[in-house]
Amino acid sequence: QVRLVESGGGLVQAGGSLRLSCVTSASTLVLNNINAMAWYRQAPGKQRELVASITRGGSTNYSESVKGRFTISRDNAKNTVYLQMSSLKPGDTAVYYCKATLPLYVYWGQGTQVTVSS
C-alpha cells in the first residue's frame, strides 16, 4: 500500500511563495519501484492538469504556465517531494495533488488547497 500526504498549502497574496511537500509512505520495495513523482492541480470547474514531474533519474518537466516560477525537487532520505512555488498568481489557485507512478499503478494524495489572492 502507498500513502501520499501533501501539506504546505494555504492562502497567499499574489507575488508570494509557498512550498508544498508530499511524503510517501510505503515499503522499501514499493519505494524503489516508483518511476516518477508529480504534482497536479485542479481548479474549480477545470480538469486536473500536470504542474511538474520528476523521474527516478532526476529529470524534471514543467507545464508552460509554471515554468520559471515553480521548482520540483525531492529528498530521497525523507521520501518527500517538494514543489517550491514563487511569483504566485491568482490563476495558480487550485487544489494541488501529489502522484506516484509505479510500473502497474498510480497513487494520489488527498490534495492541499492553494489560494492566491489578488
Side-chain angles (χ1 to χ4, degrees):
Q1 185 177 358
V2 178
R3 184 173 180 231
L4 305 176
V5 179
E6 302 100 330
S7 62
L11 174 64
V12 64
Q13 288 188 332
S17 300
L18 281 175
R19 189 178 79 158
L20 306 183
S21 300
C22 172
V23 179
T24 303
S25 298
S27 68
T28 300
L29 179 63
V30 170
L31 291 172
N32 289 338
N33 278 279
I34 294 176
N35 291 330
M37 297 291 298
W39 287 96
Y40 283 71
R41 67 186 181 187
Q42 187 167 19
K46 295 188 177 181
Q47 289 188 333
R48 193 172 296 190
E49 63 174 357
L50 174 67
V51 176
S53 64
I54 184 165
T55 68
R56 180 167 26 177
S59 297
T60 59
N61 182 54
Y62 298 91
S63 70
E64 286 299 321
S65 63
V66 307
K67 203 172 286 186
R69 299 188 298 123
F70 291 9
T71 302
I72 189 170
S73 63
R74 66 185 186 194
D75 184 335
N76 291 333
K78 297 181 179 180
N79 299 327
T80 302
V81 174
Y82 303 99
L83 185 68
Q84 178 67 48
M85 306 185 294
S86 303
S87 302
L88 284 161
K89 306 174 182 179
D92 294 318
T93 295
V95 177
Y96 284 70
Y97 298 90
C98 180
K99 185 180 89 168
T101 300
L102 281 79
L104 296 179
Y105 301 100
V106 295
Y107 295 90
W108 293 91
Q110 83 290 347
T112 184
Q113 176 71 46
V114 172
T115 303
V116 184
S117 63
S118 57

